[in-house]
Amino acid sequence: MLRLASLVSLLFLTLSQTLVSGSPCVSFDANFNLLALGFGGKDWNVGTQDVWATATTATDITTTGRPPFDGTGTTCYLAQFFNAVYVLNGDAKNPNSIYIYDAGAKSWSTQVTTPGSFSYSSFDAILDHDTNVFYALSTNGSLYNLDMGTMKTANSTAIAWNNVQQPPFPANYKPVMALAQNHIHFLDVGTDGPGNARIFVIHYSYFQPEVQSYPGSKTFPATHGQATSFFNQTGVQQEFAFIPDDFSSTYVINVENNSTRTLPPPTVQDTKSSYVAGITSLVQLDSAGSVFFVPYTPGDDTVNVNAAWSSVKSLVGLVSTANLQSNSTSNSTSGNQTSNSNSTNSTPSDHDGAPSSYPVTSGLVGLAVLFAILGFF
Ligand SMILES: *[C@@H]1O[C@H](CO)[C@@H](O)[C@H](O)[C@H]1NC(C)=O
Ligand SMILES: *[C@@H]1O[C@H](CO)[C@@H](O)[C@H](O)[C@H]1NC(C)=O
Ligand SMILES: *[C@@H]1O[C@H](CO)[C@@H](O)[C@H](O)[C@H]1NC(C)=O
Ligand SMILES: *[C@@H]1O[C@H](CO)[C@@H](O)[C@H](O)[C@H]1NC(C)=O
Ligand SMILES: *[C@@H]1O[C@H](CO)[C@@H](O)[C@H](O)[C@H]1NC(C)=O
Ligand SMILES: *[C@@H]1O[C@H](CO)[C@@H](O)[C@H](O)[C@H]1NC(C)=O
Ligand SMILES: *[C@@H]1O[C@H](CO)[C@@H](O)[C@H](O)[C@H]1NC(C)=O
Ligand SMILES: *[C@@H]1O[C@H](CO)[C@@H](O)[C@H](O)[C@H]1NC(C)=O
Ligand SMILES: *[C@@H]1O[C@H](CO)[C@@H](O)[C@H](O)[C@H]1NC(C)=O
């Protein structure tokens, strides 16, 4: 029985390491240069939106202290006031570490966190623009927060995730979260129907009891999808993009005047894509590691409706390099649990924090759990 257990355990480690090869992510710095982190084993500054469609090279910003980008469900968030990027799940060996990229100083540091009952393995999160506090809906359905203070470099004191409260949502809710005006918007809750959101008011730490309605001819459907907030030059975010899993359109919801406008849906209709928005752009990272963007023109619906998605040209070759290295590293060293630390990344994930699911791997997790239940482990 013990032998079988070790065999199954070895099989599990070998296969899961071969299949889960880590995640790059995309974010912005405070000057709205696009940062592509963990592409081809390196980090890149892709420049501002005007060059994305044409520039063939990006600036290599790889430096010491960076995360290995070998985690599952890696996500990145811009702290606009501090010109810092926070990377969650960037290091499989140190799952409780948040890597901080100080984009001004071009340096990395590592902040230790104490998750408590919060689970890094499955969550959806936003970073509140004004308070610099993360809010995350965790696997068990509770809302948690983590105060990043004024951090652009880590300090030696661990910071703790706090259990804020349980949302008044159905237990099977699959989070779709977006931030606007210091309110967390939760879309596709229960039977609320199209054009509706639930709101958590950050400053008062409470769930507004009423459903928030965004009616209108172009309102967004009641379906699961991805959401991300547009930035503004300095102030609070007022608009967010929603990309439903049905790719019927890309919806932009303005919470000042409650209007919804549309952009074309992404050309690559991959529900495992993640998204980040700048001020005048929406950027997609698909699950093959390809990066696309569509320009957004606040206030000009005619332009928006006719906008086109394009590839971020300078990243195109980097992704295939990542895939190649990742596969050969995994294959040549299968069975060696530490070997993946130098593999590069090819499998991005949901930017909002819910890790992409890998059918085969989750099957194996299921198998492992089954064996655990049966007492094999
Ligand atoms: C999540 O886990 C924490 C810690 O066990 C618990 O306090 C909280 O009530 C749980 N939330 C839900 C919705 O079950
Ligand atoms: C470390 O960061 C935390 C969170 O921002 C802060 O409360 C604490 O004062 C910081 N400690 C030092 C020594 O800077
Ligand atoms: C940006 O902020 C300004 C000033 O608060 C506001 O008037 C404008 O509507 C904002 N733009 C967007 C797209 O949110
Ligand atoms: C937007 O909707 C909220 C809630 O329904 C309402 O209080 C507010 O007046 C609306 N704003 C506008 C400009 O219609
Ligand atoms: C809502 O505000 C946005 C941003 O300022 C603007 O582009 C849009 O035309 C407004 N929509 C309505 C219906 O007032
Ligand atoms: C690497 O693996 C990925 C995912 O399985 C696959 O899409 C890609 O084609 C592979 N690349 C090479 C060079 O084998
Ligand atoms: C890695 O292994 C997989 C599965 O055995 C195989 O399909 C793939 O071609 C291998 N990739 C490389 C680069 O050897
Ligand atoms: C595992 O891989 C690491 C890093 O490549 C290497 O140092 C170590 O010797 C390997 N261990 C085994 C048992 O192959
Ligand atoms: C990782 O592998 C690449 C390519 O083989 C190599 O250039 C690099 O030095 C390695 N990095 C580490 C940390 O081993």
Side-chain angles (χ1 to χ4, degrees), residues 47-67:
T48 47
Q49 186 178 348
D50 50 315
V51 306
W52 297 345
T54 52
T56 50
T57 54
T59 305
D60 184 351
I61 55 167
T62 311
T63 188
T64 54
R66 65 193 288 275

Side-chain angles (χ1 to χ4, degrees), residues 327-338:
N327 292 358
S328 57
T329 306
S330 298
N331 286 11
S332 61
T333 56
S334 62
N336 181 340
Q337 202 183 355
T338 61

Side-chain angles (χ1 to χ4, degrees), residues 117 140-142 144 163 166-167:
S117 58
N140 80 346
S142 276
Y144 288 76
N163 187 342
Q166 183 174 350

Side-chain angles (χ1 to χ4, degrees), residues 185-235:
H185 286 68
F186 295 89
L187 309 189
D188 189 31
V189 176
T191 55
D192 287 351
N196 288 311
R198 299 294 182 103
I199 284 180
F200 179 79
V201 187
I202 292 173
H203 291 174
Y204 296 98
S205 197
Y206 98 118
F207 280 94
Q208 174 183 296
E210 303 83 30
V211 173
Q212 184 84 14
S213 276
Y214 297 101
S217 55
K218 278 187 167 179
T219 204
F220 54 90
T223 178
H224 184 265
Q226 307 296 324
T228 190
S229 304
F230 285 95
F231 281 94
N232 206 331
Q233 208 57 253
T234 50

